[in-house]
Amino acid sequence: MTIIAFNRYWVIRWHWVLVSLLVAACLTALSLWQLSRAAEKKQTLQRIAQSQAAGPLDAQQLLALNTKSRDAIDVQFPARWIAPMIWLLDNQQVDGRIGYDVVIAVEQIRPTEQSTRSTDHAVSSSITPALLVNLGWVAAQGSRDQLPEVNVPAELMVNGIFRANAKGLLLGKNIEDKGQWPMRIQQIDAGLLSDYIPSLSRSGVIFQQQQSPFYVHYQPVILPPERHTAYAVQWALLAIAVIVIALSASATRELAHDKS
């Protein structure tokens, strides 16, 4: 199909038009997504600054926030490990060595409670829901069939960073449940782990930063909003480039030259 516009002949091939529009739409969607990510990161950085100025929150204060406002918040509170549950997060590499991150569930110790209270029960009647804590890294044993022995204190001071989404990549079955502890997992999924602890909060995990019996290696990486804005500009320019190339390929010759 040939049309005349802007003093030129234009050859319209509808399949190429649809492909070009589809590609441009995808690139535009990526640009808009990066802009939304930039806005989210700006809000997150503002929230982190406010949190650092106000000081860390305890478990009750953290869970009182809405889900989005919890991300990257500093937390600190005395806690009790919900024994005997320990999950070992697989495929964690530190300094070239393969190992596991030690993940447990804890409940906040309220000021009115005595710190010597027994921890033999797997689930407590505490009002505050239990939270997942990543205590850090432990090296793997020589054989994959042998899980490392880990000793978790009955009570500890949780002092870390709460991340609302820490699932990562899942390949295959998540939980290797052989009826004994610790259990190996491929991904921290609070929804699945709540099957073992009904009182477990189903959002996020605390990454311990201090006072851990294991090697702390987690570093929060938050891209600045400017980086996402730059990506958005790149995707937008690519969308424009696709349209320009498509138009250039469709234009054949000037109408005035054709008449002569």
Side-chain angles (χ1 to χ4, degrees):
M1 177 180 177
T2 302
I3 63 174
I4 299 174
F6 304 107
N7 202 36
R8 281 183 176 274
Y9 285 105
W10 302 82
V11 178
I12 306 300
R13 298 179 178 86
W14 292 111
H15 59 288
W16 287 115
V17 170
L18 293 176
V19 169
S20 299
L21 291 176
L22 179 61
V23 172
C26 290
L27 293 172
T28 302
L30 288 171
S31 177
L32 295 175
W33 175 69
Q34 287 292 347
L35 287 176
S36 68
R37 292 287 291 164
E40 290 176 3
K41 290 299 177 65
K42 185 176 181 179
Q43 293 176 355
T44 299
L45 291 175
Q46 291 175 345
R47 188 165 56 250
I48 291 173
Q50 293 172 355
S51 174
Q52 291 175 344
L57 305 181
D58 63 19
Q60 290 181 330
Q61 293 169 330
L62 174 72
L63 294 174
L65 301 174
N66 61 56
T67 302
K68 288 186 177 181
S69 298
R70 296 174 190 169
D71 190 40
I73 291 294
D74 292 337
V75 294
Q76 183 178 16
F77 57 89
R80 179 183 301 106
W81 167 42
I82 302 178
M85 301 178 193
I86 301 174
W87 294 277
L88 297 178
L89 181 61
D90 201 4
N91 298 317
Q92 302 302 303
Q93 184 171 335
V94 174
D95 297 332
R97 300 177 62 192
I98 295 296
Y100 302 90
D101 275 0
V102 180
V103 180
I104 63 171
V106 302
E107 56 189 6
Q108 180 175 339
I109 298 176
R110 293 172 291 181
T112 56
E113 295 183 76
Q114 295 181 355
S115 62
T116 57
R117 180 181 172 183
S118 172
T119 59
D120 292 336
H121 298 287
V123 179
S124 170
S125 60
S126 174
I127 296 176
T128 304
L131 288 164
L132 291 175
V133 179
N134 185 326
L135 291 176
W137 181 86
V138 62
Q141 302 297 319
S143 171
R144 183 168 174 80
D145 295 331
Q146 182 182 2
L147 294 176
E149 294 183 5
V150 292
N151 296 314
V152 176
E155 295 182 358
L156 68 155
M157 177 62 70
V158 173
N159 193 334
I161 302 172
F162 182 86
R163 298 312 307 264
N165 186 4
K167 286 187 177 182
L169 180 64
L170 176 61
L171 299 175
K173 185 179 179 181
N174 190 6
I175 303 175
E176 297 181 22
D177 188 346
K178 298 182 180 179
Q180 60 184 10
W181 301 95
M183 291 182 184
R184 180 161 43 210
I185 60 175
Q186 303 300 317
Q187 180 187 87
I188 302 178
D189 188 336
L192 288 178
L193 300 186
S194 65
D195 292 342
Y196 300 90
I197 307 175
S199 65
L200 184 66
S201 172
R202 298 195 176 193
S203 65
V205 59
I206 299 169
F207 289 87
Q208 189 81 339
Q209 297 293 289
Q210 300 179 31
Q211 300 171 285
S212 176
F214 307 100
Y215 181 74
V216 173
H217 67 98
Y218 175 77
Q219 296 292 332
V221 178
I222 300 178
L223 288 177
E226 294 78 11
R227 182 73 63 84
H228 290 284
T229 302
Y231 290 152
V233 172
Q234 290 177 2
W235 290 122
L237 291 176
L238 285 174
I240 294 173
V242 168
I243 298 299
V244 170
I245 292 173
L247 291 174
S248 298
S250 299
T252 55
R253 58 187 182 278
E254 294 184 5
L255 184 60
H257 290 174
D258 183 69
K259 289 182 178 180
S260 62

